[in-house]
């Protein structure tokens, strides 16, 4: 009873292939991969489409290298935003950080009102050109959603559950790690 019959296995395989072919993310990734691979060989096509341009295709750096640089910038800045935003969100939901909650939420919200380009313009004179100002701008811009998600998810844990955890002798750290975070995770990730 636990094993599939050959007809059932074939039907499941067809459904899986059909599901994959309908997946929009898969098609977007395939289109991006095709563009990355094809773009270096597209000089003649773009030269025909734009005869007035001397160099219709950017040839200084390969598109694949630019794509990986972009992914690295986004990955590092997102990692920084998640680590710092989560730590700040947890801190302001604890008793010792509670007095700072309004200040932190105001500062993080103000940071969201500045466009990343403005943060970049302020960061360039301080740290120079390159990847560092972009990392700073993207990381600061990503802090608000992370802090808000952390705070709202931890506040969604019922007080009765926290009191029960304290009642059975859990320390504040155990209560956070073993009770609050697992219960808050669905809200946190949404």
């Amino acid at each position: 009873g636990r094993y599939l019959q050959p007809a059932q296995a074939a039907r499941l395989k067809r459904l899986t292939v059909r599901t994959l072919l309908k997946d929009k993310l898969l098609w977007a990734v395939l289109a991006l991969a095709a563009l990355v691979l094809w773009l270096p060989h597209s000089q003649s096509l773009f030269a025909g489409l734009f005869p007035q341009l001397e160099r219709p295709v950017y040839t200084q750096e390969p598109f694949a290298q630019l794509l990986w640089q972009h992914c690295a910038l986004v990955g590092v800045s997102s990692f920084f935003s998640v680590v710092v935003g989560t730590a700040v969100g947890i801190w302001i939901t604890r008793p010792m950080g509670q007095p700072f909650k309004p200040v932190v939420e105001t500062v993080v919200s103000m940071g969201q009102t500045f466009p990343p380009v403005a943060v970049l313009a302020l960061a360039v004179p301080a740290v120079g050109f390159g990847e560092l100002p972009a990392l700073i701008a993207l990381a600061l811009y990503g802090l608000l959603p992370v802090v808000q998600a952390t705070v709202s998810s931890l506040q969604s844990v019922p007080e009765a559950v926290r009191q029960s955890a304290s009642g059975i002798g859990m320390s504040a750290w155990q209560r956070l790690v073993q009770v609050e975070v697992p219960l808050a995770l669905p809200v946190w990730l949404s």
Side-chain angles (χ1 to χ4, degrees):
R2 292 179 63 185
Y3 298 101
L4 294 176
Q5 299 297 322
Q8 291 173 323
R11 183 172 180 263
L12 183 62
K13 187 176 181 180
R14 280 193 312 272
L15 284 175
T16 304
V17 170
R18 219 178 275 151
T19 304
L20 274 175
L21 291 176
K22 290 180 182 178
D23 187 9
K24 294 175 185 170
L25 178 61
L26 173 69
W27 286 107
V29 169
L30 289 175
L32 180 62
L35 182 63
V36 166
L37 296 173
W38 172 74
L39 196 60
H41 310 289
S42 64
Q43 180 77 27
S44 58
L45 172 69
F46 285 108
L49 290 173
F50 305 101
Q52 69 278 12
L53 295 177
E54 185 179 322
R55 287 185 317 171
V57 176
Y58 182 74
T59 57
Q60 269 65 21
E61 292 186 62
F63 189 65
Q65 183 180 351
L66 295 172
L67 176 66
W68 289 119
Q69 285 175 349
H70 173 78
C71 290
L73 279 173
V74 169
V76 170
S77 64
S78 297
F79 176 78
F80 176 78
S81 291
V82 168
V83 169
V84 172
T86 300
V88 168
I90 289 172
W91 178 65
I92 63 175
T93 59
R94 305 297 100 187
M96 93 174 122
Q98 199 74 34
F100 299 98
K101 184 179 177 189
V103 174
V104 169
E105 287 180 335
T106 302
V107 168
V108 173
S109 295
M110 283 176 36
Q112 189 74 20
T113 62
F114 294 109
V117 174
V119 176
L120 190 61
L122 294 173
V124 166
V127 295
F129 287 99
E131 294 177 349
L132 187 57
L135 283 171
I136 292 169
L138 291 171
L140 290 176
Y141 203 67
L143 278 178
L144 175 70
V146 175
V147 170
Q148 284 182 334
T150 303
V151 171
S152 65
S153 65
L154 289 173
Q155 288 177 341
S156 72
V157 176
E159 187 60 33
V161 173
R162 290 183 194 158
Q163 289 175 357
S164 297
S166 295
I168 62 169
M170 287 186 160
S171 68
W173 176 253
Q174 288 174 322
R175 195 172 59 241
L176 174 68
V177 173
Q178 295 176 8
V179 177
E180 292 181 50
V181 169
L183 290 175
L185 212 51
V187 176
W188 205 334
L189 296 177
S190 68

